[in-house]
Amino acid sequence: MSKYWSEITKSVEPYVCGEQPKDKKYVKLNTNESPYGPSPKVLDAIKNAANEDLRLYPDPNCDELSETIAKYYNLDKKQVFIGNGSDEVLAFAFLTFFNQDETIVFPDISYSFYPVYGNLYNIDYRLAKLKDDFSIPVDEFLTENGGVIIPNPNAPTGKQLELDSIKSILDNNPNKVVIIDEAYIDFGGTSAVGLIREYPNLLVVQTLSKSRSLAGIRVGFALGQEELIDGLNRIKNSFNSYTIDRVAAVAAVEAIKDEEYFKECTSRIIKTRGKVTEELGDLGFNVIPSKANFIFAGHPKYPAGELFVKLREKGILVRYFNKDRINNYLRISIGSEEEMEFFIEKVKEIIS
Amino acid sequence: MSKYWSEITKSVEPYVCGEQPKDKKYVKLNTNESPYGPSPKVLDAIKNAANEDLRLYPDPNCDELSETIAKYYNLDKKQVFIGNGSDEVLAFAFLTFFNQDETIVFPDISYSFYPVYGNLYNIDYRLAKLKDDFSIPVDEFLTENGGVIIPNPNAPTGKQLELDSIKSILDNNPNKVVIIDEAYIDFGGTSAVGLIREYPNLLVVQTLSKSRSLAGIRVGFALGQEELIDGLNRIKNSFNSYTIDRVAAVAAVEAIKDEEYFKECTSRIIKTRGKVTEELGDLGFNVIPSKANFIFAGHPKYPAGELFVKLREKGILVRYFNKDRINNYLRISIGSEEEMEFFIEKVKEIIS
């Protein structure tokens, strides 16, 4: 601890992201990236943007991108907020909607960045314990709270929460914001975007990092009624006016527009997920039914921590959380057809 | 005000950036962008980065860029922090080093984002009143405080603070961080980077938006001893792990490496600045001697507010701050040779 650090700097517990090793080439199934590159139209747009206009600041409001996203979701441009990855959107949302003296609620097994934001802003939080089958305990979100955040599908379990449950949470928190973090919604889940008209307290957060194959570009967004988006803009414009660069903005526009490519990629991932789920089941794994681009699986006989290490030795990275209740599970991102065949082959070698 | 906003959201006073109008083509001398495009090597690097690797997350530590900047300044990689524009670096620095219950100090006429950060984080600040000649009142920074931030050269005045004065401020604040914001240092100023070895409390912040012609790409950085950089990383990793996208990272590396192009552009701007300063002086303007890529000038007979409006009508945007003591000045970014000839021509039309 340095004497130059503020009290907040001393007290935070920074997020640790999935490893990005440089020592050798791995089959990377650890950070839920897409196995497929971005749309060719995205790459063309980036090349076209490599021109002398880069000397100029970008549009601080990302008008074109907001309009494109609004049109895609049948919303108004004023119902869209753009951020530098959905992590930044979430970081802004915690500060915009949650107060230090009110306790917010999120699942105990969930995206591990939520408690980090809570600590950063000194916002109290209560962990709602997932049921034994890893489903969201809806009742826990119906008591008094300072706001709610739930990933849907949840990570790292991949389990979906039904819209009816989301509605009852929204109904029971009319004065507090309910954030539905839909980072993984495009792999078969049902989005809450359709509820925005009805619920002024609903904020839906999405990202281009997974289903749009653009983790390397950093664009995420929030959708909600105008007063929520206005609030996010107040905080963002008190932090950094220009969060999205000119290249990222045009790349994101093309990624949203190329619906056909998007559907092709997500369909392939869903198909591969089905195949891997079945194959792991045949090998005796307990696989949680997933609506995301990853699966959460554990084997009754082979400890997940050991499998993690052995897979790594064989050139495959997956994610292992050494945490109560989930320490016998691995989170395995769905790679390409070939990568997953290789993965199953190596799993067989290890457990045979 | 929405009932969904946090107390902080209600109380912030967001920064308002220079206008980026879309209604017509202006000669844009209002946001201190470079009149010259980025290095051709930067554009090539961006085109090469438009490939399928964009499906993967970027390096969260920006190792290659940190190494490139470290090498350029003869520092260690661990003495470099990268952010999404220097505004983000400053936003992180306020939170990392300044405490809510201690009063920080910055000049009253200065970058107008500083009070916005203060309000965002509820950090008290005291404004040190610039002297009548707009120079920094060094004594005001030698009393007890919770930290200091000074732009050098200052904006919007363009005035430089000598290194000896910076040293005495550093010496007098051994337990508090002194941030020197060098957004405009590459246009003839003397950087404080050389003092980093000697002063563990010095943080120097720079940007690629001005002298490297990359306002559209959003990369800024901080330089300081390792414990300060560690602190910044703690806060950044509690906010957003991946702030710099893959394209921005390679663009920034090439921009730093292309020293020849950088020198050519900055020399031309310095030369044009000299010419414009002289011409405005001949027209009766009071021009503050500038070490930045803008000049701050006012005319005793023609109110700056009116000049601003008339220049706009004639297709030229400059920046006008309707604020005590500087409301008879315009901040004029240095454009290309042709743009500045056009500017002088229009000024002559207005005041003749």
Side-chain angles (χ1 to χ4, degrees), chain B residues 197-266:
Chain B
R197 243 167 262 271
E198 202 179 333
Y199 291 98
N201 56 333
L202 169 62
L203 191 81
V204 175
V205 177
Q206 294 195 2
T207 174
L208 275 71
S209 297
K210 323 288 181 185
S211 57
R212 305 280 176 176
S213 306
L214 278 179
I217 278 290
R218 320 306 309 122
V219 178
F221 55 92
L223 307 170
Q225 288 194 14
E226 193 175 340
E227 61 180 314
L228 299 193
I229 303 304
D230 280 351
L232 286 167
N233 277 315
R234 282 178 72 84
I235 292 296
K236 176 242 176 192
N237 288 322
S238 300
F239 181 87
N240 185 4
S241 314
Y242 306 98
T243 53
I244 307 295
D245 69 52
R246 285 177 168 260
V247 174
V250 295
V253 165
E254 292 307 316
I256 299 289
K257 279 186 177 168
D258 197 347
E259 177 79 359
E260 195 185 328
Y261 185 82
F262 161 77
K263 282 196 171 149
E264 189 192 319
C265 292
T266 48

Side-chain angles (χ1 to χ4, degrees), chain B residues 59-84:
Chain B
D59 174 5
N61 304 317
C62 300
D63 275 343
E64 194 192 353
L65 179 53
S66 300
E67 275 163 28
T68 305
I69 292 171
K71 198 175 162 195
Y72 185 84
Y73 285 107
N74 201 18
L75 294 169
D76 187 90
K77 194 183 82 176
K78 291 178 178 168
Q79 297 175 312
V80 181
F81 174 83
I82 313 286
N84 182 25

Side-chain angles (χ1 to χ4, degrees), chain A residues 266-278:
Chain A
T266 48
S267 307
R268 282 174 77 177
I269 290 164
I270 292 168
K271 198 176 155 196
T272 307
R273 181 182 68 203
K275 191 162 172 259
V276 177
T277 301
E278 202 172 302

Side-chain angles (χ1 to χ4, degrees), chain B residues 80-115:
Chain B
V80 181
F81 174 83
I82 313 286
N84 182 25
S86 64
D87 282 348
E88 188 185 77
V89 176
L90 294 170
F92 285 144
F94 268 65
L95 197 52
T96 305
F97 304 117
F98 301 154
N99 276 309
Q100 296 197 342
D101 52 355
E102 293 168 295
T103 303
I104 63 167
V105 193
F106 49 83
D108 65 338
I109 294 168
S110 178
Y111 185 29
S112 41
F113 222 131
Y114 301 157

Side-chain angles (χ1 to χ4, degrees), chain A residues 26-309:
Chain A
Y26 287 91
V27 171
K28 239 180 130 281
L29 308 178
N30 69 329
T31 50
N32 299 338
E33 291 143 333
S34 174
Y36 311 113
S39 155
K41 290 177 185 167
V42 168
L43 303 183
D44 285 347
I46 293 174
K47 286 175 190 158
N48 288 334
N51 64 47
E52 73 148 26
D53 282 353
L54 293 180
R55 72 184 177 83
L56 301 170
Y57 281 99
D59 174 4
N61 304 319
C62 300
D63 275 343
E64 194 192 353
L65 179 54
S66 300
E67 276 163 26
T68 304
I69 292 171
K71 198 175 162 198
Y72 185 83
Y73 285 107
N74 201 18
L75 295 169
D76 188 272
K77 194 182 83 177
K78 290 180 179 167
Q79 298 176 311
V80 180
F81 174 83
I82 313 285
N84 182 26
S86 64
D87 283 347
E88 186 184 78
V89 176
L90 293 171
F92 285 145
F94 267 65
L95 198 52
T96 305
F97 304 117
F98 301 153
N99 277 308
Q100 296 197 342
D101 51 356
E102 293 168 295
T103 303
I104 63 167
V105 193
F106 50 82
D108 65 339
I109 294 169
S110 176
Y111 186 29
S112 42
F113 222 131
Y114 302 157
V116 176
Y117 297 133
N119 293 332
L120 176 66
Y121 301 130
N122 206 13
I123 297 164
D124 282 337
Y125 53 86
R126 181 164 59 77
L127 300 174
K129 194 180 169 195
L130 290 194
K131 295 182 185 171
D132 287 342
D133 66 352
F134 291 150
S135 60
I136 299 282
V138 177
D139 289 353
E140 295 261 353
F141 296 89
L142 305 183
T143 54
E144 200 183 325
N145 61 64
V148 163
I149 180 160
I150 301 174
N152 188 33
N154 195 11
T157 64
K159 278 207 111 164
Q160 176 168 229
L161 183 62
E162 301 303 325
L163 281 196
D164 279 350
S165 300
I166 293 175
K167 275 184 168 185
S168 71
I169 294 169
L170 285 161
D171 283 329
N172 275 276
N173 291 285
N175 297 314
K176 294 296 162 188
V177 173
V178 174
I179 303 175
I180 304 297
D181 179 354
E182 295 189 347
Y184 302 103
I185 198 66
D186 292 324
F187 304 97
T190 307
S191 173
V193 168
L195 303 178
I196 286 173
R197 240 167 263 272
E198 203 179 334
Y199 291 98
N201 56 333
L202 169 62
L203 191 80
V204 175
V205 176
Q206 295 195 2
T207 174
L208 275 70
S209 296
K210 321 288 181 182
S211 58
R212 305 279 175 178
S213 305
L214 278 180
I217 278 292
R218 321 304 310 124
V219 178
F221 55 92
L223 308 170
Q225 289 194 13
E226 193 175 340
E227 62 180 310
L228 298 193
I229 302 305
D230 280 352
L232 285 167
N233 277 315
R234 282 178 72 85
I235 292 295
K236 176 242 175 190
N237 288 322
S238 299
F239 181 86
N240 185 4
S241 314
Y242 306 99
T243 53
I244 307 295
D245 69 51
R246 284 177 170 260
V247 174
V250 295
V253 165
E254 293 307 317
I256 298 289
K257 280 185 179 169
D258 197 346
E259 176 79 358
E260 195 184 329
Y261 185 82
F262 161 76
K263 283 196 171 149
E264 189 192 319
C265 292
T266 48
S267 307
R268 282 174 77 177
I269 290 164
I270 292 168
K271 198 176 155 196
T272 307
R273 181 182 68 203
K275 191 162 172 259
V276 177
T277 301
E278 202 172 302
E279 288 170 332
L280 285 177
D282 291 347
L283 294 172
F285 278 84
N286 175 27
V287 188
I288 313 298
S290 170
K291 291 281 187 186
N293 69 337
F294 55 82
I295 48 177
F296 203 51
H299 198 288
K301 289 192 196 152
Y302 303 92
E306 284 177 31
L307 282 171
F308 169 78
V309 171

